[in-house]
Amino acid sequence: MNTYTLSPAAKLRQILDRPGILVMPGCHDALSARLCEMAGFETAFMSGFAVSASRLGLPDTGLISYAEMLNQGQNICNSVSIPIWGDGDTGFGNAANIKRTVKGYAQAGFACIMLEDQVAPKRCGHTQGKSVVERNEAVMRIQAAVDARNEGADILIMARTDARATHGIDEAIARARIFDEIGADINFLEAPESAAEMERYCREVPGYKVANLIEHGKTPLLPHDQLEAMGYKIAVYPLTLLNAAIVSMQASLKALKSGTTAPLILNFSELTRIVGFDDYYQATERYRIDSVSDIQPPESGTNSHS
């Protein structure tokens, strides 16, 4: 079957079914998502941290709303053909809210939604001051998401636990196991602090597992082959592009302020190609009308709308 006829979720299932580890960059807007696709990545992750930073200029502490995340996701999903994973935070409320969030993300074009067990308002998993809900509420959130999927939302569910930081590795592993048992497609134990913890998680929890790799974060940045040998299926780098963009913008601003040429600047023709001017010109040429005589009326007796 032509993959272009598949839904984003079906495309992602095909990718996950293949052997080998899936390396996934993070994106925060339509342009960064397009760059991921142009670089040859098969999928990308819309990071809530990165969206909050780029859209609001604010930290990932639950300040961004469901509507803002959904709108950003629609723009991202519409800009690419690769399946996109979306950060759904805590689901933005109770079980009814969570089901609405899952359905909304599916309708926006996401292939997968990540939901977590932090107390709202949540915060980045590698920062201080996190707290998580009790285990039964955490299970309720993922059960509601799984139910929304089973009721027709065409989307995968990634269940995340942040319990390692608050309750220890034993509780985090217990939650991840339960999430897998109730039907989450992917499970995600956030911020293990050593290779030994990562190995234990992979050994004791079945299903597809995610390694969240943040430069200078809590989790060791291990090579892909080592992660795969441990049992990880996905290696996600949610903040690499945002980090690189900030460093480049700061260097460019410093150069401009000092009166020198900004470093690492694209040729203008390459910039216009990346943002889609070439495709736009081709489309306008295809539908250009030089004169009224170029328009051919339908034959007599035919219905132009049939």
Side-chain angles (χ1 to χ4, degrees):
M1 182 181 293
N2 187 331
T3 57
Y4 286 99
T5 66
L6 298 175
S7 70
K11 289 181 185 179
L12 181 56
R13 289 188 180 95
Q14 284 193 344
I15 293 169
L16 291 171
D17 282 344
R18 298 202 301 259
I21 194 165
L22 177 63
V23 179
M24 178 166 61
C27 62
H28 50 275
D29 58 15
L31 179 58
S32 57
R34 182 175 291 180
L35 290 171
C36 293
E37 183 173 40
M38 287 179 171
F41 287 95
E42 295 183 285
T43 185
F45 174 67
M46 185 189 79
S47 159
F49 183 117
V51 171
S52 184
S54 62
R55 179 167 175 142
L56 303 181
L58 292 173
D60 183 23
T61 53
L63 297 172
I64 196 163
S65 70
Y66 165 70
E68 289 167 320
M69 290 292 287
L70 190 69
N71 175 257
Q72 195 83 346
Q74 289 170 328
N75 290 336
I76 288 172
C77 292
N78 287 336
S79 71
V80 294
S81 62
I82 59 175
I84 300 294
W85 308 47
D87 189 344
D89 290 335
T90 61
F92 302 99
N94 62 17
N97 292 99
I98 290 165
K99 293 182 76 172
R100 178 174 182 259
T101 297
V102 171
K103 293 174 183 177
Y105 272 48
Q107 292 166 355
F110 283 106
C112 180
I113 182 172
M114 182 184 78
L115 294 162
E116 61 195 62
D117 60 359
Q118 284 195 49
V119 171
K122 55 86 57 165
R123 61 188 60 210
C124 170
H126 288 247
T127 57
Q128 301 297 317
K130 290 193 302 180
S131 58
V132 298
V133 298
E134 293 302 316
R135 189 192 292 187
N136 61 346
E137 184 174 347
V139 172
M140 175 277 293
R141 289 180 182 178
I142 303 307
Q143 186 64 66
V146 168
D147 288 347
R149 182 201 64 199
N150 292 345
E151 291 165 8
D154 189 14
I155 194 168
L156 280 72
I157 307 300
M158 176 163 65
R160 163 178 157 177
T161 178
D162 285 73
R164 163 63 185 88
T166 58
H167 293 64
I169 191 68
D170 291 345
E171 175 64 15
I173 286 175
R175 292 187 184 206
R177 288 182 63 88
I178 295 171
F179 295 161
D180 177 75
E181 289 169 4
I182 64 177
D185 299 284
I186 301 140
N187 62 79
F188 171 13
L189 193 159
E190 172 67 305
E193 297 185 7
S194 67
E197 288 187 356
M198 297 167 78
E199 288 175 341
R200 182 183 168 195
Y201 162 52
C202 289
R203 184 172 62 250
E204 297 184 15
V205 181
Y208 294 133
K209 290 171 282 290
V210 175
N212 189 32
L213 303 168
I214 295 177
E215 292 82 359
H216 311 294
K218 293 180 179 292
T219 300
L221 294 179
L222 302 179
H224 298 157
D225 57 353
Q226 186 176 351
L227 292 170
E228 184 177 0
M230 284 180 174
Y232 282 104
K233 181 62 182 180
I234 301 113
V236 60
Y237 295 82
L239 300 181
T240 302
L241 291 190
L242 179 66
N243 267 318
I246 290 172
V247 169
S248 181
M249 287 190 285
Q250 286 176 328
S252 297
L253 290 167
K254 183 178 180 180
L256 290 174
K257 193 171 183 180
S258 66
T260 59
T261 302
L264 298 175
I265 296 298
L266 285 173
N267 183 286
F268 183 67
S269 63
E270 177 66 3
L271 176 60
T272 58
R273 183 190 70 81
I274 288 172
V275 300
F277 273 92
D278 290 351
D279 293 337
Y280 175 81
Y281 291 144
Q282 289 178 12
T284 54
E285 181 64 25
R286 173 176 172 80
Y287 298 108
R288 181 172 59 85
I289 299 174
D290 289 323
S291 66
V292 175
S293 62
D294 289 337
I295 302 176
Q296 299 298 319
E299 295 182 8
S300 177
T302 62
N303 187 342
S304 60
H305 297 290
S306 63

